[in-house]
C-alpha cells in the first residue's frame, strides 16, 4: 500500500539521519546524489577503501535500526 511505502521511506530517512555524520554523508552522496565511491573519495579527500568501509558500516547500522535492533 502507499501508506506502508511512505512509512518505510520515513523509517529509512530517520535511520539515515541517526547514522554517524561520516556514515550519513556517504550514504547521502552514494544513494541520493548517485556518486561513485571514487567520486565520493575525491570530494571527502579520503581513500576509496575508506569510503567503501564506511558505506559497509552504514549498511550494517541501517539494517540494525530498520530491523528494530
Amino acid at each position: 500500500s502507499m501508506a506502508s511505502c511512505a512509512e518505510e521511506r520515513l523509517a529509512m530517512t530517520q535511520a539515515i539521519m541517526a547514522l554517524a555524520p561520516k556514515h550519513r554523508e556517504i550514504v547521502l552522496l552514494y544513494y541520493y546524489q548517485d556518486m561513485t565511491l571514487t567520486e565520493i573519495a575525491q570530494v571527502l579527500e579520503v581513500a576509496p577503501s575508506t569510503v567503501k568501509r564506511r558505506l559497509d558500516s552504514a549498511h550494517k547500522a541501517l539494517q540494525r535500526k530498520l530491523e528494530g535492533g
Side-chain angles (χ1 to χ4, degrees):
S1 72
M2 286 301 291
S4 70
C5 192
E7 282 170 26
E8 280 172 27
R9 266 205 307 275
L10 181 61
M12 178 60 95
T13 300
Q14 289 173 331
I16 290 170
M17 290 306 151
L19 290 172
K22 68 181 183 181
H23 292 155
R24 182 170 64 232
E25 67 186 355
I26 285 173
V27 168
L28 294 175
L29 291 172
Y30 189 74
Y31 290 106
Y32 293 87
Q33 301 300 321
D34 222 27
M35 291 173 71
T36 65
L37 296 180
T38 307
E39 288 168 339
I40 295 169
Q42 289 169 343
V43 167
L44 299 181
E45 299 180 334
V46 297
S49 59
T50 301
V51 175
K52 184 168 186 345
R53 195 168 59 245
R54 288 181 188 174
L55 192 60
D56 288 343
S57 297
H59 273 153
K60 291 189 181 85
L62 286 172
Q63 277 178 328
R64 280 196 304 273
K65 290 179 199 304
L66 294 171
E67 285 163 10

